[in-house]
């Protein structure tokens, strides 16, 4: 069986370095907000090209705390509208509603599955105060155009970069385009911890200080609480492990991109729609780090079963759009046709830094075999 994602093998490559990092934390006797977090925050800020990085407990908390900080600073008010793609993972929307803000769902660009600039512009009202730009599957949203639109309308921009560590455009990385960005270090991410973790990057010092206080019980100084905060901190152990893996992130990204190019060039089946053209090159792939390689097909169940029968595990990201979830039942009658079509058709093929060329070719061959028997039988 070719696994969708073999986390054990991914982390086994750094076993000795990870053990040394964990031992360093254990031996330090300091387990919360210590030297490892300080070092990782600086290293990740440098990697993203930002002035500040604030470690938090998860990617969801990174988004929640950023929006909360903007409220505390008076830049957002209860009920303000936040534009967000309708096909995103539900965490993007949870962060908005958790803060008493109003999500305005916008159908995405059907080719990239990211925000459509035209549809975003059409959704702006006098109540719109921010855009939550999701870099879905690892591909940057159209940030130059979105930032220009935000400047025109005096809007805040928050990047949901949970799937896009290291994605860049014109030399500028994810996390350094908007006014702030939220990252996830969930184990399956391109930069994954060995547990939960997240971070916010920004060039706004006041925002950074506010987020840090909010995630530390609302306190800038011990026992002095300026806000009704929460406990959301990246711990020393995860920070130490992430420092190890950050050194190898670009190398792993290049391997993901190599697999993606092989898929694009090798899969030749008109029943399978690919996310990039077969003529794509590594040089042209900087804006996509392929956290996921997501194809589309009109009969997803049949393709998934065909690949499973061939010993290939696939996953669906995501089967149900947010507006059709029970959690947001008041939206269940709303229609977002592009999002609904995407959610009905997407299927994620295996892609990881430990996937071999032989495995990649086997996946390509199996995709090309899909539908052949049905054609013969008919």
């Amino acid at each position: 069986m070719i696994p969708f994602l073999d986390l054990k093998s991914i982390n086994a490559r750094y076993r000795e370095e990870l053990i040394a990092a964990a031992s360093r934390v254990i031996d330090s006797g300091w387990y919360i907000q210590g030297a490892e977090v300080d070092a990782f925050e600086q290293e990740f800020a440098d990697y993203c090209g930002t002035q500040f990085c604030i470690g938090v407990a998860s990617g969801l908390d990174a988004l929640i705390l950023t929006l909360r900080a903007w409220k505390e600073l008076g830049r957002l008010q209860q009920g303000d509208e936040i534009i967000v793609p309708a096909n995103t993972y539900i965490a993007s929307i949870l962060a908005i509603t958790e803060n008493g803000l109003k999500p305005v769902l916008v159908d995405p660009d059907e080719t990239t599955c990211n925000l459509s600039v035209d549809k975003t512009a059409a959704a702006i009202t006098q109540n719109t105060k921010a855009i939550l730009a999701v870099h879905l599957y690892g591909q940057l949203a159209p940030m130059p155009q979105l930032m220009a639109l935000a400047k025109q309308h005096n809007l805040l921009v928050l990047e949901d970069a949970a799937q896009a560590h290291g994605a860049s455009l014109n030399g500028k990385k994810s996390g350094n385009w908007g006014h702030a960005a939220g990252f996830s270090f969930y184990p399956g991410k391109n930069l994954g911890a060995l547990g939960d973790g997240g971070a916010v990057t920004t060039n706004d010092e006041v925002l950074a200080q506010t987020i840090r206080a909010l995630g530390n019980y609302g306190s800038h100084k011990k026992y002095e609480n300026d806000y009704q905060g929460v406990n959301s901190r990246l711990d020393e152990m995860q920070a130490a492990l992430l420092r190890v893996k950050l050194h190898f992130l670009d190398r792993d990204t290049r391997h993901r991109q190599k697999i993606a190019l092989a898929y694009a060039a090798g899969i030749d089946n008109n029943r399978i729609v690919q996310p990039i053209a077969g003529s794509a090159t590594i040089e042209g792939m900087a804006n996509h780090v392929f956290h996921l390689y997501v194809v589309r097909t009109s009969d997803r169940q049949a393709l998934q079963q065909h690949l499973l029968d061939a010993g290939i595990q696939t996953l669906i990201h995501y089967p149900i759009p947010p507006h059709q979830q029970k959690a947001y039942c008041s939206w269940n009658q709303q229609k977002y046709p592009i999002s609904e079509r995407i959610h009905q058709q997407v299927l994620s093929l295996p892609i990881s830094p430990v996937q071999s060329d032989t495995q990649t070719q086997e996946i390509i061959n199996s995709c090309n075999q899909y539908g052949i028997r049905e054609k013969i039988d008919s």
Side-chain angles (χ1 to χ4, degrees), residues 17 33 76 148 159 185 375:
E17 294 96 327
Q33 293 187 309
L76 292 175
E159 298 173 67
F185 304 127
K375 290 180 181 177

Side-chain angles (χ1 to χ4, degrees), residues 39-93:
F40 174 74
E41 288 179 341
Q42 185 61 61
E43 291 162 7
F44 193 64
D46 291 344
Y47 178 81
C48 294
T50 60
Q51 294 184 52
F52 306 102
C53 170
I54 309 95
V56 296
S58 69
L60 175 57
D61 278 3
L63 299 177
I64 289 175
L65 290 173
T66 302
L67 293 172
R68 168 76 187 280
W70 277 332
K71 287 184 72 177
E72 294 287 353
L73 294 169
R75 300 176 192 175
L76 292 175
Q77 306 292 333
Q78 191 84 357
D80 282 346
E81 294 179 356
I82 313 295
I83 291 175
V84 61
N87 62 314
T88 186
Y89 182 55
I90 201 168
S92 310
I93 295 169

Side-chain angles (χ1 to χ4, degrees), residues 55-200:
V56 296
S58 69
L60 175 57
D61 278 3
L63 299 177
I64 289 175
L65 290 173
T66 302
L67 293 172
R68 168 76 187 280
W70 277 332
K71 287 184 72 177
E72 294 287 353
L73 294 169
R75 300 176 192 175
L76 292 175
Q77 306 292 333
Q78 191 84 357
D80 282 346
E81 294 179 356
I82 313 295
I83 291 175
V84 61
N87 62 314
T88 186
Y89 182 55
I90 201 168
S92 310
I93 295 169
L94 289 170
I96 297 171
T97 57
E98 177 68 17
N99 278 288
L101 303 166
K102 181 181 178 181
V104 175
L105 276 58
V106 173
D107 251 345
D109 178 284
E110 193 158 4
T111 300
T112 66
C113 297
N114 277 330
L115 271 176
S116 158
V117 176
D118 291 342
K119 290 185 175 67
T120 299
I124 294 173
T125 72
Q126 63 180 4
N127 298 317
T128 305
K129 301 302 177 185
I131 299 171
L132 205 169
V134 181
H135 306 317
L136 198 63
Y137 309 145
Q139 183 174 20
L140 281 180
M143 294 309 296
Q145 299 92 326
L146 290 174
M147 293 307 296
L149 191 63
K151 184 176 181 180
Q152 179 184 348
H153 295 276
N154 194 30
L155 305 178
L156 295 165
V157 177
L158 173 58
E159 298 173 67
D160 183 339
Q163 300 182 352
H165 313 73
S168 67
L169 181 62
N170 300 327
K172 191 172 184 177
K173 285 192 173 78
S174 63
N176 193 23
W177 279 96
H179 300 101
F183 287 88
S184 169
F185 304 127
Y186 181 78
K189 302 300 186 187
N190 290 23
L191 179 60
L194 273 68
D196 266 323
V200 178

